[in-house]
Short mmCIF file of all heavy atoms in Angstrom, two decimals:
data_model
loop_
_atom_site.label_atom_id
_atom_site.label_comp_id
_atom_site.label_asym_id
_atom_site.label_seq_id
_atom_site.Cartn_x
_atom_site.Cartn_y
_atom_site.Cartn_z
N LEU A 215 16.91 45.77 -22.74
CA LEU A 215 18.28 46.09 -22.37
C LEU A 215 18.94 44.89 -21.68
O LEU A 215 20.11 44.56 -21.95
CB LEU A 215 18.29 47.31 -21.45
CG LEU A 215 19.66 47.86 -21.05
CD1 LEU A 215 20.42 48.33 -22.28
CD2 LEU A 215 19.49 49.00 -20.06
N ASP A 216 18.18 44.24 -20.79
CA ASP A 216 18.71 43.04 -20.13
C ASP A 216 19.10 41.98 -21.14
O ASP A 216 20.16 41.36 -21.04
CB ASP A 216 17.66 42.48 -19.16
CG ASP A 216 17.50 43.34 -17.92
OD1 ASP A 216 18.33 44.25 -17.72
OD2 ASP A 216 16.55 43.11 -17.15
N ILE A 217 18.22 41.77 -22.12
CA ILE A 217 18.48 40.73 -23.11
C ILE A 217 19.75 41.04 -23.90
O ILE A 217 20.59 40.15 -24.13
CB ILE A 217 17.26 40.60 -24.06
CG1 ILE A 217 16.08 39.97 -23.30
CG2 ILE A 217 17.60 39.76 -25.28
CD1 ILE A 217 14.78 40.00 -24.08
N VAL A 218 19.91 42.29 -24.32
CA VAL A 218 21.10 42.66 -25.11
C VAL A 218 22.37 42.43 -24.30
O VAL A 218 23.34 41.82 -24.79
CB VAL A 218 21.00 44.14 -25.56
CG1 VAL A 218 22.31 44.59 -26.18
CG2 VAL A 218 19.85 44.32 -26.55
N LEU A 219 22.40 42.88 -23.05
CA LEU A 219 23.60 42.74 -22.23
C LEU A 219 23.87 41.28 -21.87
O LEU A 219 25.02 40.83 -21.88
CB LEU A 219 23.47 43.59 -20.97
CG LEU A 219 23.48 45.11 -21.19
CD1 LEU A 219 23.26 45.85 -19.89
CD2 LEU A 219 24.81 45.54 -21.81
N TYR A 220 22.79 40.54 -21.52
CA TYR A 220 22.99 39.15 -21.15
C TYR A 220 23.39 38.30 -22.35
O TYR A 220 24.16 37.33 -22.21
CB TYR A 220 21.73 38.58 -20.49
CG TYR A 220 21.49 39.12 -19.10
CD1 TYR A 220 20.24 39.57 -18.70
CD2 TYR A 220 22.52 39.20 -18.17
CE1 TYR A 220 20.01 40.07 -17.43
CE2 TYR A 220 22.32 39.71 -16.90
CZ TYR A 220 21.06 40.14 -16.53
OH TYR A 220 20.85 40.63 -15.28
N ILE A 221 22.89 38.65 -23.53
CA ILE A 221 23.33 37.93 -24.73
C ILE A 221 24.82 38.14 -24.95
O ILE A 221 25.57 37.20 -25.27
CB ILE A 221 22.52 38.42 -25.96
CG1 ILE A 221 21.12 37.81 -25.95
CG2 ILE A 221 23.24 38.04 -27.26
CD1 ILE A 221 20.24 38.29 -27.09
N PHE A 222 25.27 39.37 -24.77
CA PHE A 222 26.70 39.67 -24.93
C PHE A 222 27.54 38.88 -23.94
O PHE A 222 28.58 38.30 -24.30
CB PHE A 222 26.93 41.17 -24.75
CG PHE A 222 28.36 41.57 -24.80
CD1 PHE A 222 29.05 41.63 -26.00
CD2 PHE A 222 29.05 41.90 -23.63
CE1 PHE A 222 30.38 42.00 -26.04
CE2 PHE A 222 30.38 42.26 -23.67
CZ PHE A 222 31.05 42.32 -24.88
N LYS A 223 27.08 38.84 -22.68
CA LYS A 223 27.84 38.11 -21.65
C LYS A 223 27.77 36.60 -21.88
O LYS A 223 28.79 35.90 -21.73
CB LYS A 223 27.28 38.45 -20.27
CG LYS A 223 27.50 39.90 -19.84
CD LYS A 223 28.94 40.13 -19.43
CE LYS A 223 29.14 41.53 -18.88
NZ LYS A 223 30.54 41.76 -18.44
N LEU A 224 26.59 36.09 -22.22
CA LEU A 224 26.43 34.65 -22.35
C LEU A 224 27.09 34.10 -23.60
O LEU A 224 27.53 32.95 -23.63
CB LEU A 224 24.93 34.30 -22.36
CG LEU A 224 24.21 34.41 -21.01
CD1 LEU A 224 22.71 34.29 -21.19
CD2 LEU A 224 24.71 33.33 -20.05
N THR A 225 27.14 34.93 -24.65
CA THR A 225 27.78 34.45 -25.88
C THR A 225 29.24 34.11 -25.63
O THR A 225 29.77 33.11 -26.16
CB THR A 225 27.66 35.52 -26.98
OG1 THR A 225 26.28 35.79 -27.23
CG2 THR A 225 28.31 35.05 -28.27
N SER A 226 29.88 34.93 -24.81
CA SER A 226 31.29 34.65 -24.50
C SER A 226 31.43 33.48 -23.53
O SER A 226 32.50 32.87 -23.46
CB SER A 226 31.94 35.90 -23.89
OG SER A 226 31.27 36.28 -22.70
N ALA A 227 30.34 33.16 -22.80
CA ALA A 227 30.43 32.08 -21.81
C ALA A 227 29.99 30.73 -22.36
O ALA A 227 30.69 29.73 -22.22
CB ALA A 227 29.59 32.44 -20.57
N ILE A 228 28.83 30.68 -23.03
CA ILE A 228 28.31 29.38 -23.48
C ILE A 228 28.10 29.33 -24.98
O ILE A 228 27.50 28.39 -25.50
CB ILE A 228 26.98 29.05 -22.76
CG1 ILE A 228 25.94 30.13 -23.06
CG2 ILE A 228 27.19 28.92 -21.27
CD1 ILE A 228 24.56 29.80 -22.47
N GLY A 229 28.52 30.36 -25.70
CA GLY A 229 28.36 30.37 -27.14
C GLY A 229 27.11 31.10 -27.57
O GLY A 229 26.23 31.44 -26.77
N ALA A 230 27.00 31.35 -28.88
CA ALA A 230 25.89 32.14 -29.43
C ALA A 230 24.62 31.32 -29.60
O ALA A 230 23.53 31.87 -29.73
CB ALA A 230 26.31 32.74 -30.77
N GLN A 231 24.74 29.97 -29.60
CA GLN A 231 23.57 29.14 -29.87
C GLN A 231 22.52 29.26 -28.76
O GLN A 231 21.32 29.28 -29.02
CB GLN A 231 24.00 27.68 -30.02
CG GLN A 231 22.86 26.76 -30.48
CD GLN A 231 23.33 25.34 -30.73
OE1 GLN A 231 24.52 25.06 -30.57
NE2 GLN A 231 22.42 24.48 -31.12
N GLY A 232 22.97 29.37 -27.51
CA GLY A 232 22.04 29.46 -26.39
C GLY A 232 21.18 30.70 -26.44
O GLY A 232 19.93 30.62 -26.45
N PRO A 233 21.77 31.92 -26.49
CA PRO A 233 20.95 33.13 -26.61
C PRO A 233 20.08 33.15 -27.85
O PRO A 233 18.95 33.64 -27.82
CB PRO A 233 21.98 34.25 -26.64
CG PRO A 233 23.17 33.70 -25.93
CD PRO A 233 23.20 32.24 -26.27
N ALA A 234 20.57 32.59 -28.95
CA ALA A 234 19.77 32.55 -30.18
C ALA A 234 18.52 31.69 -29.99
O ALA A 234 17.43 32.03 -30.47
CB ALA A 234 20.61 32.03 -31.34
N SER A 235 18.67 30.58 -29.28
CA SER A 235 17.51 29.72 -29.00
C SER A 235 16.48 30.46 -28.15
O SER A 235 15.27 30.35 -28.40
CB SER A 235 17.97 28.45 -28.28
OG SER A 235 18.92 27.75 -29.03
N MET A 236 16.95 31.21 -27.17
CA MET A 236 16.03 31.97 -26.32
C MET A 236 15.29 33.04 -27.13
O MET A 236 14.09 33.26 -26.95
CB MET A 236 16.79 32.63 -25.17
CG MET A 236 17.41 31.64 -24.19
SD MET A 236 16.18 30.66 -23.31
CE MET A 236 15.36 31.90 -22.33
N MET A 237 16.00 33.70 -28.04
CA MET A 237 15.36 34.73 -28.85
C MET A 237 14.33 34.11 -29.79
O MET A 237 13.25 34.69 -30.01
CB MET A 237 16.41 35.50 -29.66
CG MET A 237 17.32 36.38 -28.82
SD MET A 237 16.41 37.62 -27.88
CE MET A 237 15.65 38.55 -29.19
N ALA A 238 14.64 32.97 -30.36
CA ALA A 238 13.67 32.29 -31.22
C ALA A 238 12.42 31.93 -30.44
O ALA A 238 11.28 32.07 -30.93
CB ALA A 238 14.31 31.04 -31.84
N TYR A 239 12.61 31.49 -29.20
CA TYR A 239 11.46 31.15 -28.36
C TYR A 239 10.63 32.40 -28.07
O TYR A 239 9.39 32.35 -28.06
CB TYR A 239 11.95 30.53 -27.05
CG TYR A 239 10.82 30.22 -26.09
CD1 TYR A 239 10.00 29.12 -26.29
CD2 TYR A 239 10.56 31.05 -25.01
CE1 TYR A 239 8.96 28.83 -25.43
CE2 TYR A 239 9.52 30.78 -24.14
CZ TYR A 239 8.72 29.67 -24.35
OH TYR A 239 7.69 29.41 -23.51
N LEU A 240 11.30 33.52 -27.83
CA LEU A 240 10.59 34.78 -27.57
C LEU A 240 9.70 35.16 -28.75
O LEU A 240 8.53 35.50 -28.57
CB LEU A 240 11.60 35.90 -27.31
CG LEU A 240 11.05 37.33 -27.37
CD1 LEU A 240 10.09 37.58 -26.23
CD2 LEU A 240 12.18 38.35 -27.33
N ILE A 241 10.24 35.09 -29.95
CA ILE A 241 9.47 35.51 -31.14
C ILE A 241 8.26 34.61 -31.36
O ILE A 241 7.14 35.08 -31.57
CB ILE A 241 10.39 35.51 -32.37
CG1 ILE A 241 11.49 36.57 -32.21
CG2 ILE A 241 9.59 35.78 -33.64
CD1 ILE A 241 12.57 36.51 -33.28
N ILE A 242 8.47 33.29 -31.26
CA ILE A 242 7.37 32.35 -31.51
C ILE A 242 6.28 32.50 -30.45
O ILE A 242 5.08 32.61 -30.76
CB ILE A 242 7.91 30.90 -31.54
CG1 ILE A 242 8.86 30.72 -32.73
CG2 ILE A 242 6.75 29.91 -31.63
CD1 ILE A 242 9.60 29.40 -32.74
N SER A 243 6.67 32.51 -29.18
CA SER A 243 5.68 32.62 -28.11
C SER A 243 4.98 33.98 -28.13
O SER A 243 3.79 34.08 -27.82
CB SER A 243 6.35 32.38 -26.75
OG SER A 243 7.35 33.36 -26.50
N GLY A 244 5.72 35.03 -28.49
CA GLY A 244 5.12 36.36 -28.55
C GLY A 244 4.02 36.44 -29.58
O GLY A 244 2.94 36.97 -29.30
N PHE A 245 4.28 35.91 -30.79
CA PHE A 245 3.25 35.93 -31.83
C PHE A 245 2.03 35.09 -31.41
O PHE A 245 0.88 35.49 -31.63
CB PHE A 245 3.82 35.37 -33.14
CG PHE A 245 4.54 36.40 -33.96
CD1 PHE A 245 5.88 36.24 -34.28
CD2 PHE A 245 3.88 37.55 -34.41
CE1 PHE A 245 6.55 37.20 -35.02
CE2 PHE A 245 4.55 38.50 -35.15
CZ PHE A 245 5.88 38.33 -35.47
N PHE A 246 2.28 33.97 -30.79
CA PHE A 246 1.19 33.08 -30.37
C PHE A 246 0.31 33.76 -29.33
O PHE A 246 -0.93 33.78 -29.44
CB PHE A 246 1.78 31.78 -29.82
CG PHE A 246 0.75 30.85 -29.25
CD1 PHE A 246 -0.16 30.20 -30.07
CD2 PHE A 246 0.68 30.62 -27.88
CE1 PHE A 246 -1.12 29.34 -29.54
CE2 PHE A 246 -0.26 29.77 -27.35
CZ PHE A 246 -1.16 29.13 -28.18
N LEU A 247 0.93 34.35 -28.30
CA LEU A 247 0.15 34.98 -27.23
C LEU A 247 -0.54 36.26 -27.70
O LEU A 247 -1.63 36.58 -27.21
CB LEU A 247 1.06 35.28 -26.03
CG LEU A 247 1.56 34.05 -25.27
CD1 LEU A 247 2.52 34.47 -24.16
CD2 LEU A 247 0.40 33.27 -24.67
N THR A 248 0.08 36.99 -28.62
CA THR A 248 -0.56 38.20 -29.14
C THR A 248 -1.87 37.88 -29.83
O THR A 248 -2.86 38.61 -29.70
CB THR A 248 0.39 38.92 -30.11
OG1 THR A 248 1.60 39.27 -29.41
CG2 THR A 248 -0.25 40.19 -30.66
N ARG A 249 -1.89 36.76 -30.57
CA ARG A 249 -3.14 36.35 -31.23
C ARG A 249 -4.21 36.01 -30.20
O ARG A 249 -5.38 36.33 -30.38
CB ARG A 249 -2.87 35.14 -32.12
CG ARG A 249 -1.91 35.40 -33.26
CD ARG A 249 -2.55 36.21 -34.36
NE ARG A 249 -3.68 35.53 -34.98
CZ ARG A 249 -4.40 36.04 -35.97
NH1 ARG A 249 -4.10 37.24 -36.44
NH2 ARG A 249 -5.41 35.37 -36.48
N LEU A 250 -3.80 35.36 -29.11
CA LEU A 250 -4.78 34.95 -28.10
C LEU A 250 -5.32 36.14 -27.32
O LEU A 250 -6.45 36.09 -26.82
CB LEU A 250 -4.15 33.95 -27.13
CG LEU A 250 -3.80 32.56 -27.68
CD1 LEU A 250 -3.21 31.70 -26.57
CD2 LEU A 250 -5.05 31.88 -28.25
N ARG A 251 -4.55 37.21 -27.20
CA ARG A 251 -4.93 38.33 -26.34
C ARG A 251 -5.78 39.38 -27.06
O ARG A 251 -6.13 40.39 -26.46
CB ARG A 251 -3.68 39.03 -25.80
CG ARG A 251 -2.85 38.21 -24.86
CD ARG A 251 -1.84 39.12 -24.18
NE ARG A 251 -0.83 38.36 -23.48
CZ ARG A 251 0.44 38.25 -23.86
NH1 ARG A 251 0.85 38.86 -24.94
NH2 ARG A 251 1.30 37.54 -23.15
N ARG A 252 -6.12 39.19 -28.29
CA ARG A 252 -6.82 40.22 -29.05
C ARG A 252 -8.11 40.71 -28.38
O ARG A 252 -8.42 41.89 -28.43
CB ARG A 252 -7.13 39.72 -30.46
CG ARG A 252 -5.91 39.76 -31.37
CD ARG A 252 -6.31 39.55 -32.81
NE ARG A 252 -5.19 39.82 -33.71
CZ ARG A 252 -5.28 39.79 -35.03
NH1 ARG A 252 -6.43 39.50 -35.59
NH2 ARG A 252 -4.23 40.04 -35.77
N PRO A 253 -8.92 39.84 -27.77
CA PRO A 253 -10.17 40.34 -27.16
C PRO A 253 -9.97 41.32 -26.00
O PRO A 253 -10.91 42.00 -25.62
CB PRO A 253 -10.86 39.05 -26.67
CG PRO A 253 -10.27 37.95 -27.49
CD PRO A 253 -8.85 38.37 -27.74
N ILE A 254 -8.76 41.39 -25.43
CA ILE A 254 -8.55 42.25 -24.25
C ILE A 254 -8.82 43.71 -24.59
O ILE A 254 -9.41 44.46 -23.80
CB ILE A 254 -7.13 42.07 -23.71
CG1 ILE A 254 -6.96 40.67 -23.09
CG2 ILE A 254 -6.80 43.13 -22.65
CD1 ILE A 254 -5.59 40.39 -22.54
N GLY A 255 -8.41 44.16 -25.77
CA GLY A 255 -8.61 45.55 -26.15
C GLY A 255 -10.09 45.91 -26.21
O GLY A 255 -10.52 46.94 -25.66
N LYS A 256 -10.89 45.07 -26.87
CA LYS A 256 -12.33 45.33 -26.97
C LYS A 256 -12.97 45.30 -25.58
O LYS A 256 -13.84 46.13 -25.26
CB LYS A 256 -12.99 44.29 -27.87
CG LYS A 256 -12.54 44.33 -29.32
CD LYS A 256 -13.22 43.24 -30.12
CE LYS A 256 -12.72 43.22 -31.56
NZ LYS A 256 -13.35 42.13 -32.35
N MET A 257 -12.57 44.33 -24.77
CA MET A 257 -13.16 44.21 -23.44
C MET A 257 -12.79 45.40 -22.57
O MET A 257 -13.58 45.82 -21.71
CB MET A 257 -12.71 42.90 -22.79
CG MET A 257 -13.17 41.67 -23.55
SD MET A 257 -12.61 40.12 -22.83
CE MET A 257 -13.90 39.83 -21.61
N THR A 258 -11.61 45.98 -22.77
CA THR A 258 -11.22 47.18 -22.03
C THR A 258 -12.10 48.37 -22.41
O THR A 258 -12.53 49.14 -21.54
CB THR A 258 -9.75 47.52 -22.30
OG1 THR A 258 -8.93 46.41 -21.90
CG2 THR A 258 -9.32 48.75 -21.53
N ILE A 259 -12.39 48.52 -23.70
CA ILE A 259 -13.27 49.60 -24.15
C ILE A 259 -14.65 49.46 -23.51
O ILE A 259 -15.22 50.43 -23.00
CB ILE A 259 -13.38 49.59 -25.69
CG1 ILE A 259 -12.05 49.98 -26.32
CG2 ILE A 259 -14.49 50.53 -26.16
CD1 ILE A 259 -12.05 49.94 -27.84
N ILE A 260 -15.20 48.24 -23.53
CA ILE A 260 -16.53 48.03 -22.96
C ILE A 260 -16.51 48.25 -21.45
O ILE A 260 -17.45 48.83 -20.88
CB ILE A 260 -17.01 46.59 -23.29
CG1 ILE A 260 -17.11 46.42 -24.81
CG2 ILE A 260 -18.36 46.32 -22.64
CD1 ILE A 260 -17.40 45.01 -25.24
N GLU A 261 -15.44 47.83 -20.79
CA GLU A 261 -15.34 48.04 -19.33
C GLU A 261 -15.39 49.53 -18.99
O GLU A 261 -16.14 49.95 -18.10
CB GLU A 261 -14.04 47.44 -18.81
CG GLU A 261 -13.82 47.68 -17.32
CD GLU A 261 -12.44 47.27 -16.86
OE1 GLU A 261 -11.72 46.60 -17.62
OE2 GLU A 261 -12.07 47.64 -15.74
N GLN A 262 -14.62 50.35 -19.70
CA GLN A 262 -14.62 51.79 -19.42
C GLN A 262 -15.95 52.43 -19.77
O GLN A 262 -16.41 53.36 -19.10
CB GLN A 262 -13.48 52.47 -20.20
CG GLN A 262 -12.09 52.00 -19.80
CD GLN A 262 -11.86 52.09 -18.31
OE1 GLN A 262 -12.08 53.13 -17.69
NE2 GLN A 262 -11.43 51.00 -17.70
#
Side-chain angles (χ1 to χ4, degrees):
L215 185 62
D216 287 350
I217 289 171
V218 171
L219 292 177
Y220 288 134
I221 284 177
F222 176 75
K223 293 285 185 178
L224 287 170
T225 300
S226 60
I228 60 175
Q231 187 176 0
S235 302
M236 294 296 293
M237 291 301 299
Y239 177 77
L240 165 67
I241 295 171
I242 295 171
S243 61
F245 276 120
F246 175 70
L247 291 176
T248 300
R249 297 286 298 180
L250 291 181
R251 294 192 192 109
R252 282 192 171 184
I254 291 179
K256 296 178 183 178
M257 298 178 86
T258 300
I259 292 177
I260 299 172
E261 177 189 348
Q262 297 307 308

